[in-house]
Amino acid sequence: MTATPSLTARALLLDMDGTLVNSDAAVERVWRRWAGRHGLDGEEVMKVVHGRQGYASMALLLPDRPMEQNHADNARMLAAETADTDGVVAIPGAEAFLASLAGLPHALVTSADAALAGARMAAAGLALPDVRVTAESVGASKPDPEGFLKGAAELGVAPADCVAFEDSAAGIAAARAAGMRVVGVGPRAGVHRPDVTVPDLTRVRVTPAEDGTLRLDVG
């Protein structure tokens, strides 16, 4: 964990996979099968896919393939991922953390589409936030900041007054490009230098203040 003990914000923007939900087993199953079909090394593929929409990962892994093929392949991948929730569980502390945000400004900002987000949150026993930015909501995948900027706009909060929760390189880069501070969650996050790193959400407490700000204590 970094030395920063607390942050102050007016809204929180939450990634899903790796941040609220541990879906690593399902992600690996689907993407390793995809890697095998295309003659790619599974380990190298897994270094790329976390945090991005599928078509964006495919564009990096198969740079000579037409983008329309990536989008078509991505649609099939999303359907496969939505159907495969075996082993999908909540990140420790996620249920209590989300409950503590009831009535406070927060949004889900995920590279999953609405169907996949709903399936994984349900499998993990977590309630979906009322405000959600999913794959259908944006024209560009993380690490582009569009999703985080849209989440802030829907909440009516300036990006600089938001704190994002993320686990992946692409997600942390997207939040930083949006001008937000970042709480990194889990083992992938720390190497990408978020403002604060926590092993899971049991280490985060949110306290609303009378002036409308939110105090985040970690550790």
Side-chain angles (χ1 to χ4, degrees):
M1 187 178 300
T2 68
T4 306
S6 65
L7 297 169
T8 301
R10 291 192 174 274
L12 307 182
L13 300 178
L14 315 174
D15 175 51
M16 182 182 70
D17 292 300
T19 302
L20 298 173
V21 170
N22 182 345
S23 57
D24 283 1
V27 171
E28 290 224 4
R29 283 193 295 272
V30 171
W31 277 99
R32 286 184 183 278
R33 286 197 297 269
W34 181 89
R37 288 196 298 270
H38 294 280
L40 299 174
D41 181 81
E43 293 299 325
E44 294 304 311
V45 167
M46 296 313 303
K47 292 177 183 178
V48 171
V49 301
H50 291 292
R52 292 181 172 84
Q53 291 192 44
Y55 75 85
S57 296
M58 293 170 191
L60 292 173
L61 293 162
L62 297 173
D64 296 326
R65 191 165 77 156
M67 188 58 76
E68 58 265 26
Q69 290 186 29
N70 294 336
H71 282 286
D73 213 359
N74 185 48
R76 291 187 289 270
M77 293 283 283
L78 284 169
E81 289 184 284
T82 301
D84 183 0
T85 57
D86 187 31
V88 174
V89 296
I91 294 291
E95 184 176 10
F97 174 67
L98 286 171
S100 76
L101 300 184
L104 303 178
H106 68 287
L108 186 74
V109 180
T110 176
S111 293
D113 66 1
L116 180 56
R120 284 188 175 160
M121 291 289 279
L126 300 176
L128 282 162
D130 291 336
V131 179
R132 301 186 285 273
V133 179
T134 59
E136 302 95 332
S137 308
V138 298
S141 169
K142 298 173 184 177
D144 190 280
E146 182 184 359
F148 282 116
L149 292 173
K150 182 162 283 190
E154 291 199 21
L155 294 171
V157 177
D161 290 328
C162 297
V163 168
F165 283 69
E166 269 286 359
D167 73 301
S168 68
I172 291 170
R176 288 208 178 282
M180 299 175 184
R181 291 153 295 151
V182 185
V183 174
V185 180
R188 280 191 292 269
V191 297
H192 305 297
R193 303 183 65 83
D195 296 275
V196 177
T197 305
V198 292
D200 56 47
L201 294 171
T202 64
R203 304 295 188 91
V204 183
R205 297 174 300 283
V206 180
T207 306
E210 292 184 2
D211 64 357
T213 59
L214 308 175
R215 177 185 172 93
L216 282 69
D217 293 297
V218 301

